[in-house]
Amino acid sequence: MALLELQEVTSGYAFGPDILQSVSLTVDEGRAYCIIGPNGAGKSTVLKTVAGLLRPREGQVLLDGTSIGGLRPDLVLAAGICYVPQDRSLFPDMTVKENLVMGGFLQPDRKVVSERIEQIFDMFPILRSRAGQHAGTMSGGEQQMLALGRALMTQPRMMMIDEPSLGLAPQVADQIFETIASLRQMGITLLLVEQNVLRGLEATQDAFLLDLGTLRLEAPSDRILDDPRIRELYLGRQLQRGTEAETREN
Amino acid sequence: MSEVAQVMILGLLQGGVYALMASGLTLMFGVMRIVNLAHGVFIIAACYVAYFLFVGPGWDPFASLLVTIPLFFLLGMVIYRSLFPRIEGSQRFSEMTVLLTFGIALVVEGFLSYFFTGTFRSTNPPYTTDAILIGDLFIPTAQLYASMTSLILLLALWGFLFLTRTGYAVRATMQNRTAAQIVGVNVRRISTIAFAIGMALAGASGSLISFLYPFFPNSHWRWIAILLALIVLGGLGSLKGAVVGALMLAVAAAFVSDMFGATWAPITFFGALFLVLLIRPQGLFGREARV
Amino acid sequence: MTRQRVEPSVIAVERGPSRRRSRGPLAAVATIVLLLTLLPLARPLIGQPYNYVLQIGMVGLMWIALASSWNIIGGFAGYISLGHNVFYGIGGYASGLLLLYFDWSPLLTWPIAGLLAVICGFLVGLVTLRTRGPAFIISTVALLLMVALLFDNWEFVGASNGLSLPLPPFSIETVKIPFYYAMLLIAVGSVYLSYRVAHSKFGLALRAIAQDETKAEVGGIDTRKMKVTAFSISAFFVGAAGAVWGYSLTYLRPAIFFSIAIAAEMVLMAIIGGRGTVAGPVVGAILLVTLNEISVSQFGSTELNIVVTGVIMLVVLLFFPMGVVGTLRERGKLPSILDWD
């Protein structure tokens, strides 16, 4: 059943023009989705609008059928949707542990928070070994793991991850995508934005193609990968570039 | 040698109060990117509160802390909620806040001068003329009390920031506003609290300087210029920077005042500011591109 | 509802210098300048309040010059200077000293005062413009208070008592006329400078800096050079205005020139009129000078005058951040006579 639904959502940054124009899309519980499209298509804007960082100017954002559009970010989070932004948005002057503690901010019981931190440490042993280090001093891959770990602290039903592999070396990106695969196994609904189209599609079941703020196509990820016409029409160069990048990486 | 120690002590005692004033200002910038040009005028307004409690019911300036702190806390909540949400999200938000608080400063200053005229005032509780002598070191009692109180208030601020859940949220918001939002911090609420705390610190400072430095409505510009210089020096938004900067510069200013006369003491702050801008534009404890 | 508010500088860039200019506003402005030039000749028409009218005219022209000059750095480049009256004071004292020591009239030496202000602006700019945003504003506040402190204690310029200047060698009936013409020249010059900057590549670079300095830098603009240049040239007419104003008062005192209230007025006028537009500061100056006259005659006290200034500032910032010209233009209602961009 539909977990998240956007109905003709128009949105944009404060004092700026509309970025999304009447976008409608549905996300079913337990599935993994990828939003693809050229730069400036509004991919991140979708995530920010759902997360409550931007207020939809028109249209509805529904979670389990109730409107969450325009709700404060902390209330959206409490409702079970968590967002990992492109820049990872860690607390640079806090330690890894403190970042995780902040991840459990909505959980008032300190004991529960400690237990969850232990679970995160089991999942990402590297974070345990860096527990006392300041987040700002870690490598890109470690920071991304911390961002994912911190997001998991909220025990979300759905995670929205923006460009998880951005700026990471290929092997590190592989690791991140393994983690993302395991999130799927945990039953967390996923909504990814990924600049590496090939990777993004391979990691998900369905895809939304955005262009200039409108939804152009909605299809199973593997069909987009396999269908030469769609590749030609919408992704032509982008996918090629992605493929080239892949080959270069390998 | 003992003269050097004497000047050091006087400088440190002043620095304690400066640190209290500057910490409120830097907290506001750190959490909300607000440059509060009205911080000085609120300090002076608090001086008047302390003054009238002193000349009226005869309250000691330290007792007036019980009024100024909660009063200015509430005032801070009201001002923040009524003015700042309107300009939130505008690009160049910090510049907007400078202009907005400039307007507030003019309004408050105008009312203060209208009601209380431009005459110099100060509270003069009995200990203002007392001093403690240790060897041949001379420690003015009033300065000592004031900086001890500042220290206690700063410790309380530290405890709040590092030991409480709300304090964690404040620090998180200072470090990365978006990050704080996405872990579930209600940044609007945190901003209101931080602004109110900053104002409460201004209120407390007013009570303390009411017997240390004579004041009149227009004198807030001198204070705000010094405080702004201090927080730029320490790195905008850095509490540690504000406190260390305040202590260092107050000592430096005490030496300048000892050598060239009290008139020139404020030059220390401005001179140091321009020197630091030349060498390290982000301030002593600031991070690159923090602004 | 789509709520779109665009920052003033954004509009400014969109309507770049390449836009065709209509002749309408030019003719209108020329007419206004001509009328202002002829005003002192209309003594029989004005009658009794002749000196008062010229005095108000001079004050208005002075504020036009100050606000327009401030707008070059504060409006076009987006670097808000709260210490610009430092140059006002430097100009005033420079010409005053030339009068005292060499007997050169400030009515002639104001260009020298302006040049000295430019040199000071250049040196100050080199230091303060190393910072951006709030840190820059703070450094200008610090600059102002530091210079005020220096002049307050510098015996050579009479410290806080200031300097008395010899009375201008004119009769009481005609004394206002030369001052009025000097200010008219300065005001026209500063508006013309602002216009030329707005319609130059340099002005475009400043607007790019105002929008996004990092992008401007990446785009190959030598932002530091542009900013320092803008800061220095914006000091010229401020210094010049200070020279003429000081002489018209016949005394120079730090409190007159280095009060932060002067900076507040400059900023406020530019904002009320429309920051980053050529006509804005002119409109703002006229509005505020008129309002000040009314408020002083109504309340009589300067204290409440400050309150009024502050309240206007708050209202404009909260409700019309683009100012009169910017707001009217956004709504497509800007009369062509004010469309100088």
Side-chain angles (χ1 to χ4, degrees):
Chain A
M1 79 153 272
L3 175 70
L4 177 77
E5 213 177 325
L6 271 68
Q7 294 176 345
E8 299 181 352
V9 167
T10 298
S11 175
Y13 294 87
F15 304 123
D18 294 342
I19 307 263
L20 293 183
Q21 273 144 5
S22 203
V23 170
S24 299
L25 52 85
T26 307
V27 170
D28 285 335
E29 178 122 48
R31 289 180 75 86
Y33 297 81
C34 185
I35 304 178
I36 54 178
N39 280 339
K43 304 186 294 281
S44 300
T45 312
V46 173
L47 303 195
K48 285 178 188 164
T49 307
V50 174
L53 294 170
L54 300 176
R55 173 182 286 272
R57 291 175 176 152
E58 277 164 49
Q60 294 275 345
V61 182
L62 303 174
L63 178 69
D64 294 327
T66 25
S67 173
I68 57 162
L71 229 51
R72 284 200 321 255
D74 50 308
L75 298 177
V76 174
L77 185 71
I81 301 183
C82 130
Y83 167 55
V84 182
Q86 215 179 87
D87 64 358
R88 281 124 209 184
S89 280
L90 298 172
F91 302 111
D93 293 337
M94 288 188 181
T95 63
V96 168
K97 181 109 184 257
E98 283 177 311
N99 266 277
L100 293 175
V101 170
M102 280 310 296
F105 184 74
L106 288 178
Q107 172 56 249
D109 189 341
R110 287 193 186 198
K111 210 185 279 170
V112 178
V113 172
S114 312
E115 282 166 20
R116 283 191 202 162
I117 289 178
E118 278 309 308
Q119 288 167 10
I120 303 294
F121 280 163
D122 291 342
M123 208 174 150
F124 304 96
I126 181 90
L127 293 184
R128 191 196 301 276
S129 64
R130 297 282 158 95
Q133 191 178 335
H134 281 224
T137 63
M138 294 199 303
S139 73
E142 292 163 351
Q143 291 197 6
Q144 185 60 266
M145 284 187 196
L146 178 55
L148 291 173
R150 192 183 64 184
L152 278 172
M153 287 293 295
T154 63
Q155 299 204 321
R157 294 169 68 190
M158 174 176 165
M159 272 172 83
M160 302 188 294
I161 312 173
D162 201 348
E163 305 276 17
S165 73
L166 190 73
L168 299 183
Q171 298 93 319
V172 183
D174 286 344
Q175 266 181 299
I176 296 295
F177 272 95
E178 276 169 35
T179 310
I180 289 174
S182 66
L183 296 178
R184 269 181 71 180
Q185 281 160 13
M186 290 162 69
I188 298 174
T189 310
L190 286 178
L191 184 57
L192 292 189
V193 167
E194 178 54 55
Q195 105 279 13
N196 186 329
V197 179
L198 208 59
R199 270 211 153 109
L201 291 175
E202 277 168 1
T204 53
Q205 291 154 299
D206 297 287
F208 303 111
L209 191 142
L210 273 186
D211 191 17
L212 295 170
T214 49
L215 187 66
R216 285 294 154 88
L217 179 74
E218 188 180 344
S221 302
D222 48 9
R223 242 194 69 209
I224 297 185
L225 280 171
D226 296 340
D227 192 325
R229 277 175 315 159
I230 299 179
R231 292 175 66 149
E232 180 92 14
L233 217 56
Y234 293 106
L235 305 168
R237 201 175 288 155
Q238 226 200 0
L239 197 56
Q240 259 171 26
R241 212 183 327 138
T243 324
E244 272 166 28
E246 284 294 292
T247 8
R248 211 175 36 238
E249 283 164 11
N250 300 334
Chain B
M1 192 60 224
S2 79
E3 195 193 322
V4 172
Q6 175 70 64
V7 176
M8 285 273 287
I9 285 174
L10 290 179
L12 282 172
L13 290 179
Q14 298 211 347
V17 185
Y18 285 9
L20 186 70
M21 293 193 260
S23 59
L25 197 57
T26 212
L27 184 71
M28 289 178 184
F29 185 83
V31 177
M32 293 149 289
R33 296 290 176 269
I34 289 176
V35 179
N36 186 8
L37 238 46
H39 201 67
V41 87
F42 286 121
I43 293 175
I44 298 298
C47 285
Y48 279 100
V49 174
Y51 176 81
F52 286 107
L53 285 174
F54 180 76
V55 295
W59 287 30
D60 186 277
F62 286 101
S64 74
L65 285 170
L66 298 175
V67 175
T68 50
I69 291 176
L71 180 68
F72 281 79
F73 187 90
L74 285 177
L75 198 60
M77 286 177 69
V78 173
I79 288 175
Y80 184 78
R81 282 295 171 127
S82 53
L83 293 181
F84 289 95
R86 277 200 73 88
I87 57 166
E88 232 167 59
S90 60
Q91 45 161 228
R92 307 191 147 265
F93 174 77
S94 289
E95 275 103 326
M96 279 293 281
T97 66
V98 175
L99 297 171
L100 202 65
T101 54
F102 195 13
I104 298 173
L106 293 174
V107 173
V108 179
E109 181 194 330
F111 277 123
L112 289 179
S113 345
Y114 183 71
F115 289 115
F116 308 133
T117 72
T119 30
F120 272 98
R121 290 167 207 265
S122 67
T123 54
N124 49 343
Y127 44 82
T128 42
T129 47
D130 291 354
I132 300 166
L133 284 170
I134 301 174
D136 48 358
L137 289 181
F138 168 86
I139 300 171
T141 315
Q143 294 271 10
L144 182 68
Y145 288 174
S147 52
M148 284 300 137
T149 312
S150 296
L151 189 67
I152 291 167
L153 290 169
L154 285 171
L155 279 175
L157 178 65
W158 184 88
F160 164 74
L161 288 175
F162 284 83
L163 302 175
T164 71
R165 202 172 106 94
T166 312
Y168 257 77
V170 171
R171 284 198 301 137
T173 312
M174 283 173 97
Q175 287 178 32
N176 189 330
R177 197 176 176 87
T178 317
Q181 282 181 304
I182 61 174
V183 298
V185 173
N186 178 353
V187 295
R188 174 74 61 84
R189 182 175 154 264
I190 292 302
S191 300
T192 313
I193 292 174
F195 193 86
I197 290 176
M199 284 284 286
L201 292 169
S205 312
S207 284
L208 296 182
I209 69 163
S210 72
F211 55 87
L212 294 179
Y213 311 96
F215 53 89
F216 63 102
N218 189 259
S219 60
H220 73 98
W221 291 116
R222 223 176 298 157
W223 281 113
I224 193 66
I226 290 176
L227 297 179
L228 288 171
L230 276 180
I231 70 166
V232 171
L233 276 167
L236 280 168
S238 161
L239 275 166
K240 188 171 66 178
V243 173
V244 176
L247 292 175
M248 274 173 29
L249 278 168
V251 171
F255 279 105
V256 169
S257 144
D258 187 51
M259 284 183 278
F260 305 103
T263 331
W264 298 106
I267 289 279
T268 324
F269 299 97
F270 306 138
L273 173 69
F274 288 114
L275 205 66
V276 168
L277 289 185
L278 270 174
I279 304 161
R280 201 180 144 79
Q282 71 271 31
L284 296 175
F285 293 88
R287 204 175 283 140
E288 201 78 55
R290 189 90 189 256
V291 180
Chain C
M1 191 194 75
T2 47
R3 186 148 155 269
Q4 292 193 20
R5 237 160 76 185
V6 187
E7 296 282 315
S9 53
V10 179
I11 306 173
V13 169
E14 280 164 1
R15 337 172 99 244
S18 58
R19 203 167 49 94
R20 220 156 37 88
R21 290 163 220 165
S22 65
R23 298 209 166 261
L26 186 67
V29 171
T31 316
I32 296 173
V33 172
L34 187 68
L35 287 175
L36 286 172
T37 314
L38 295 176
L39 180 71
L41 305 177
R43 186 194 287 268
L45 283 173
I46 302 169
Q48 190 59 27
Y50 182 71
N51 272 359
Y52 173 75
V53 168
L54 285 198
Q55 174 73 17
I56 291 293
M58 182 180 87
V59 170
L61 290 166
M62 177 182 81
W63 283 112
I64 288 175
L66 295 180
S68 291
S69 302
W70 181 87
N71 188 47
I72 292 173
I73 183 75
F76 295 146
Y79 271 70
I80 297 169
S81 163
L82 293 183
H84 238 52
N85 49 325
V86 161
F87 307 120
Y88 185 59
I90 287 173
Y93 274 91
S95 271
L97 290 172
L98 287 175
L99 176 66
L100 283 175
Y101 286 86
F102 300 101
D103 206 20
W104 296 354
S105 168
L107 290 168
L108 300 173
T109 59
W110 59 259
I112 301 175
L115 279 179
L116 185 70
V118 170
I119 294 166
C120 293
F122 177 74
L123 296 176
V124 168
L126 282 181
V127 180
T128 56
L129 287 163
R130 291 171 63 89
T131 57
R132 293 181 184 182
F136 169 77
I137 308 179
I138 292 170
S139 67
T140 60
V141 176
L143 172 77
L144 174 61
L145 277 109
M146 183 167 80
V147 173
L149 192 70
L150 281 174
F151 275 78
D152 259 332
N153 295 284
W154 190 10
E155 288 305 329
F156 178 64
V157 295
S160 59
N161 291 327
L163 298 169
S164 284
L165 302 179
L167 292 182
F170 307 106
S171 73
I172 191 85
E173 285 83 33
T174 56
V175 69
K176 295 291 176 195
I177 299 172
F179 288 100
Y180 175 86
Y181 277 122
M183 273 307 183
L184 180 63
L185 207 58
I186 289 168
V188 170
S190 58
V191 176
Y192 182 66
L193 176 69
S194 160
Y195 177 84
R196 287 304 297 263
V197 168
H199 292 89
S200 66
K201 258 185 134 168
F202 170 58
L204 198 64
L206 293 184
R207 286 167 164 166
I209 290 172
Q211 273 211 56
D212 190 330
E213 185 157 350
T214 314
K215 267 189 201 151
E217 229 159 59
V218 174
I221 295 173
D222 186 346
T223 56
R224 194 157 148 72
K225 194 170 129 196
M226 297 293 164
K227 289 186 297 185
V228 175
T229 310
F231 194 74
S232 331
I233 65 169
S234 76
F236 182 81
F237 285 108
V238 177
V244 175
W245 181 246
Y247 191 33
S248 81
L249 295 175
T250 70
Y251 57 87
L252 307 169
R253 218 176 275 153
I256 294 169
F257 290 100
F258 300 112
S259 151
I260 197 155
I262 308 265
E265 298 275 317
M266 273 191 225
V267 178
L268 184 55
M269 286 170 181
I271 292 174
I272 287 186
R275 200 143 73 90
T277 67
V278 179
V282 179
V283 174
I286 295 171
L287 282 178
L288 224 65
V289 168
T290 315
L291 195 94
N292 275 351
E293 274 309 302
I294 296 171
S295 116
V296 167
S297 66
Q298 288 296 311
F299 301 122
S301 77
T302 46
E303 289 87 13
L304 286 185
N305 214 5
I306 297 179
V307 176
V308 172
T309 307
V311 169
I312 296 174
M313 194 147 183
L314 293 178
V315 170
V316 170
L317 285 171
L318 291 176
F319 301 102
F320 316 98
M322 294 161 51
V324 175
V325 172
T327 310
L328 285 178
R329 173 175 296 151
E330 191 196 30
R331 297 187 185 158
K333 286 178 185 164
L334 186 68
S336 71
I337 189 176
L338 287 177
D339 196 6
W340 303 351
D341 286 285

